[in-house]
Amino acid sequence: MTFLTDPVGWWIEPFTSNPFMTKALAAGLLAVLTTSMVGTWVVLRSLNFLGDALAHGVLPGIAIAFIVGFDTGLGALVAAIVMVSAISFIPRISPLSEDTSIGVLFVGLLALAVVIMSSEAAAGTGDIDRFLFGSITGVQNTDLVRQAVVSVVAVGGAVVFYRAFFVMTFCEVQAEMARLRPRLTHGVLMVLLAITIVGSFQVVGSLLVMAFLIAPPATASMFLRRVPLIMVAAVLIGAVSVYVGLLLSYHHRLAGGATMALTAVAILFAAMLIRALVYALRPAPPEDALPVQMLADSR
């Protein structure tokens, strides 16, 4: 109960007395800003499987960059672009659907990353656990600069293409009629998603980045209907997840990235329970009003 008896020492002091915690908080908040803006469209368009596959698809690029010795972020970005291109290309040259193409690439690229890291060329280079699960307490100033750039690109892209994303999300036919070029718009969203994953794997790892892409926007979408409000609420929920998760990992010596991701998921389930409880406690309409209510619902 230290967080109640000594609130300053539990909630604030870890960030004021430990520079690595301050950097970790900044990195987490930048990651949340990026993932919430892009993740809102992922949730609204039901692209969760694609996002998860893309998060795994960057692993071969990270593994190769790790072995060769160049920037892992660049390797991840190249791998993400290759995967996005392959997802669009495979259905054009084969009878396979896009979902099947995503599933095949998902498994194939994940297996490729494991094979690369188990090869003789990777001997002595260590493992890629920190890229799988994040290393938020090891964030450097260069990582923060890169995340800041990614955040600017993601937020700028979400603002510039907001109308196209919005129309395509709710009516692709209308987007085509309005000459918003749905195929190009989808491609832009895929690029933003790839950039978001690449910019966030240092914080929570490529395997856990989906928690921040999905959980905060999904939580917000259960209570809000306007897209801008969903984005703002998702950022706030993600920020709480980062702050609380970091404190829990610091005080209880837990894995930082995993604790933050678990906190975000826990908030989602708590919101689901609260929403279900509120609906369960709503007074039932009078029996004589039921036919009218059913008629209204049918309309």
Side-chain angles (χ1 to χ4, degrees):
M1 300 294 287
T2 310
F3 64 94
L4 294 177
T5 58
D6 184 17
V8 174
W10 204 92
W11 293 96
I12 301 176
E13 189 175 342
F15 299 104
T16 58
S17 59
N18 300 283
F20 73 91
M21 285 290 287
T22 305
K23 291 181 180 179
L25 180 61
L29 293 178
L30 285 173
V32 160
L33 177 62
T34 308
T35 55
S36 295
M37 296 293 288
V38 177
T40 296
W41 298 115
V42 173
V43 170
L44 293 179
R45 295 196 62 203
S46 300
L47 297 175
N48 305 333
F49 180 50
L50 173 58
D52 194 20
L54 191 56
H56 290 76
V58 303
L59 291 176
I62 296 173
I64 294 173
F66 192 43
I67 293 172
V68 175
F70 64 88
D71 185 69
T72 53
L74 180 60
L77 181 59
V78 171
I81 293 174
V82 169
M83 183 171 182
V84 169
S85 302
I87 291 171
S88 301
F89 183 68
I90 290 177
R92 296 182 185 179
I93 63 172
S94 72
L96 299 179
S97 65
E98 185 176 273
D99 285 345
T100 303
S101 303
I102 293 171
V104 170
L105 290 168
F106 184 155
V107 176
L109 291 174
L110 179 59
L112 177 60
V114 175
V115 169
I116 291 173
M117 289 307 298
S118 63
S119 65
E120 292 184 2
T125 60
D127 54 39
I128 58 172
D129 281 353
R130 67 175 178 270
F131 302 118
L132 295 175
F133 306 108
S135 180
I136 191 168
T137 55
V139 170
Q140 304 297 322
N141 291 332
T142 54
D143 299 318
L144 291 176
V145 172
R146 180 170 60 188
Q147 278 193 277
V149 173
V150 169
S151 297
V152 170
V153 173
V155 174
V159 171
V160 171
F161 290 91
Y162 175 84
R163 180 170 178 266
F165 289 159
F166 182 86
V167 176
M168 189 178 66
T169 297
F170 297 102
C171 185
E172 190 167 340
V173 175
Q174 186 176 350
E176 188 73 41
M177 294 176 60
R179 298 181 180 180
L180 294 176
R181 305 179 68 180
R183 188 181 296 275
L184 176 61
T185 302
H186 181 74
V188 171
L189 180 58
M190 292 303 97
V191 172
L192 290 178
L193 178 58
I195 293 174
T196 298
I197 291 172
V198 170
S200 304
F201 76 82
Q202 176 71 18
V203 178
V204 289
S206 59
L207 295 184
L208 299 175
V209 68
M210 286 303 295
F212 282 103
L213 272 170
I214 303 301
T219 303
S221 66
M222 288 192 296
F223 299 95
L224 301 169
R225 290 294 175 264
R226 296 185 60 188
V227 176
L229 293 180
I230 293 175
M231 289 181 173
V232 172
V235 172
L236 295 176
I237 294 168
V240 171
S241 302
V242 167
Y243 190 78
V244 174
L246 277 175
L247 286 172
L248 289 173
S249 67
Y250 176 82
H251 289 295
H252 300 287
R253 297 182 180 181
L254 304 172
T259 305
M260 292 188 302
L262 185 60
T263 303
V265 174
I267 292 175
L268 171 61
F269 278 99
M272 289 172 58
L273 291 175
I274 292 173
R275 186 174 185 273
L277 182 61
V278 169
Y279 275 87
L281 295 178
R282 277 186 173 183
E287 291 186 4
D288 56 351
L290 283 178
V292 177
Q293 182 65 38
M294 292 173 63
L295 179 60
D297 291 341
S298 65
R299 294 177 180 175

